[in-house]
Amino acid sequence: MEVADGTMTKTLKPETAEQVLDAIKWAAGEGMPLAVRGQGSKDGFGRAVDIPHCLDLTGLSGIKAYEPSELYMTALAATPVAEIEAALRQNNQQMSFEPPNMGILYGGANGESEGSIGGAIGCNLAGPRRIQAGAARDHFLGFNAVSGRGEVFKSGGTVVKNVTGFDLSKLLAGSFGTLAVMTDVTFKVMPAAEKTRTVLILGADDAGAMVAMAASLGSANEVSAAAHLPEAAAALSGVSYVADAGQAVTAVRVEGPGPSVEHRCRALTALLKEFGEIEELHSENSALLWREIRDVRLFDAIDNQIWRLSVPPAAGANVVASLRSDIGGRVFYDWGGGLIWLSMGTRSDAGHETVRAAVADTGGHATLIRADADVRQRVPVFEPQATVLKDLSARVKQGFDPNGVLNPGRMVEGE
């Protein structure tokens, strides 16, 4: 295991699962917290913590097993998402949950690093297809890992029926490396669509777009994504039909066999024409637009603070109207209006009380996705939990990592 020493820091870089175990046993024995890091594309996601020692997992990279006919892949945790996607394209397959490239939001290597598969699952990230295909945890079949106790354990397998008893895969997905270090992960893959097209509605206001997207998603047309871009967001798209529209654009995506896609596009055009002028994007432009939405590329200020709001789709327009009157900012909507991306000027408190008040009555929640480290140390990054859930989370953390070795404070202050 490679060990790099700095003036006050130590970086442990294991190359095998056994070396990960050795590193965590050392840290637990010394009471030495570790910052768990994969490709580093999500270093700015979560609370800012000052942990002097780093467990660098980039040595655990590579595809261990890929069975296209069985629709699963097993990869070492730090395998780049780009490498996995390249292997899947050779067999016309994909990860249906569309893991986003967070490196663009955080400016890492100009967004060139799309992060690792372990990071995508560990943060439970999913793109526009989530409304149809589910989140990362819904495609997560199994893993091998080392707990903060320095114990090796595993869960699941290569098919869904192997997941019996306690489904630890669901627990680790979204735990941000605070419970255990996954050394490899197994996940479902699916056939890629033969054709992709996007029906565009031009000029709908936010409220009208919510109704249009609900109508699309409630129809029999198997919509795989629906998003609404107000005029300012649409103008930043690299797709000329969208950027040059000069007005808001609502996008509805359909995927599948060519004849089916053409039929569903015609049906959606008839269904949605009352909401505005209709245009249609074919495969290449569709792919670009949905990457922009997936990777949150439709904001112009690279230093603004960014929030991700999860609300009932029917409440999205009202939530945004409230925020615009109170703190301003720019937005666009994904997941049929249920996901709101908010970009706002820098504030010392990130406007967190105002933002959370705006979503509270809807039963939604808000996550501070991007802000300077000092802000993320003062402000709750994740939605504060009720006392019962907070106590339960603390007991789970205690069970997996009693000495607070793994990413302490990344999700909860004072961990």
Side-chain angles (χ1 to χ4, degrees):
M1 175 168 54
E2 180 181 342
V3 179
D5 286 297
T7 305
M8 297 291 291
T9 65
K10 177 179 288 186
T11 297
L12 306 176
K13 190 174 181 180
E15 296 182 351
T16 65
E18 291 76 15
Q19 290 179 354
V20 172
L21 175 62
D22 291 342
I24 294 177
K25 281 184 173 179
W26 168 82
E30 297 292 327
M32 197 68 67
L34 296 173
V36 183
R37 190 175 192 269
Q39 296 292 330
S41 67
K42 292 171 280 294
D43 285 351
F45 192 6
R47 292 190 67 255
V49 291
D50 184 16
I51 302 174
H53 304 300
C54 175
L55 184 63
D56 181 347
L57 299 177
T58 52
L60 274 70
S61 179
I63 296 171
K64 292 180 63 177
Y66 175 29
E67 295 294 339
S69 62
E70 299 296 328
L71 299 177
Y72 80 87
M73 178 184 286
T74 299
L76 295 172
T79 306
V81 168
E83 180 180 334
I84 291 171
E85 290 178 333
L88 293 174
R89 281 195 297 270
Q90 294 179 9
N91 291 280
N92 197 33
Q93 292 183 335
Q94 65 183 4
M95 291 181 285
S96 292
F97 61 97
E98 288 183 288
N101 177 359
M102 301 293 281
I104 291 174
L105 267 178
Y106 300 120
N110 297 317
E112 293 174 6
S113 171
E114 295 193 24
S116 65
I117 185 61
I121 291 173
C123 296
N124 194 34
L125 297 175
R129 203 179 288 111
R130 188 193 191 288
I131 56 176
Q132 182 190 64
R137 60 164 51 97
D138 299 307
H139 299 257
F140 187 22
L141 296 174
F143 63 84
N144 284 283
V146 181
S147 73
R149 293 177 176 272
E151 298 172 343
V152 175
F153 68 105
K154 64 180 181 178
S155 179
T158 59
V159 293
V160 174
K161 68 180 181 181
N162 283 349
V163 181
T164 58
F166 292 107
D167 190 352
L168 295 180
S169 298
K170 296 293 192 293
L171 180 63
L172 290 197
S175 65
F176 284 71
T178 61
L179 302 178
V181 175
M182 295 182 290
T183 55
D184 65 53
V185 295
T186 300
F187 49 94
K188 290 188 289 186
V189 300
M190 297 297 289
E194 176 187 325
K195 295 289 183 184
T196 300
R197 291 192 181 179
T198 301
V199 175
L200 303 179
I201 309 168
L202 307 183
D205 62 14
D206 287 14
M210 300 304 114
V211 176
M213 289 190 289
S216 301
L217 292 166
S219 73
N221 295 303
E222 297 182 39
V223 169
S224 69
H228 176 63
L229 316 180
E231 182 179 348
L236 296 174
S237 174
V239 179
S240 59
Y241 285 104
V242 176
D244 297 341
Q247 53 192 325
V249 174
T250 308
V252 177
R253 182 175 68 182
V254 291
E255 301 174 295
S260 171
V261 167
E262 291 178 8
H263 170 77
R264 285 180 282 150
C265 282
R266 288 194 297 269
L268 285 168
T269 296
L271 176 68
L272 300 173
K273 62 183 180 182
E274 66 178 280
F275 295 99
E277 181 185 349
I278 302 295
E279 293 285 354
E280 189 175 302
L281 301 180
H282 287 206
S283 295
E284 185 174 343
N285 280 330
S286 286
L288 174 56
L289 176 63
W290 292 104
R291 280 199 304 273
E292 292 173 337
I293 294 168
R294 181 197 72 179
D295 299 339
V296 198
R297 302 186 193 191
L298 299 174
F299 292 134
D300 53 358
I302 62 173
D303 57 347
N304 269 9
Q305 294 167 341
I306 292 180
W307 285 88
R308 184 181 68 187
L309 316 179
S310 181
V311 300
N318 289 335
V319 168
V320 168
S322 173
L323 289 171
R324 281 175 172 154
S325 66
D326 289 338
I327 60 176
R330 293 184 173 182
V331 305
F332 69 88
Y333 305 77
D334 196 1
W335 299 355
L339 175 63
I340 302 168
W341 290 102
L342 167 66
S343 174
M344 53 180 282
T346 300
R347 293 175 174 233
S348 61
D349 65 350
H352 74 103
E353 292 182 349
T354 301
V355 170
R356 292 204 160 100
V359 304
D361 291 340
T362 73
H365 57 86
T367 303
L368 180 58
I369 294 292
R370 188 176 74 190
D372 288 343
D374 62 328
V375 176
R376 289 184 289 114
Q377 285 178 330
R378 296 193 305 270
V379 171
V381 170
F382 300 98
E383 188 74 22
Q385 294 179 319
T387 301
V388 172
L389 287 177
K390 186 176 181 180
D391 291 345
L392 177 59
S393 296
R395 291 199 298 272
V396 171
K397 173 69 171 175
Q398 178 69 18
F400 279 85
D401 184 20
N403 297 311
V405 169
L406 304 177
N407 278 347
R410 181 76 180 268
M411 299 189 76
V412 180
E413 184 178 5
E415 234 174 14

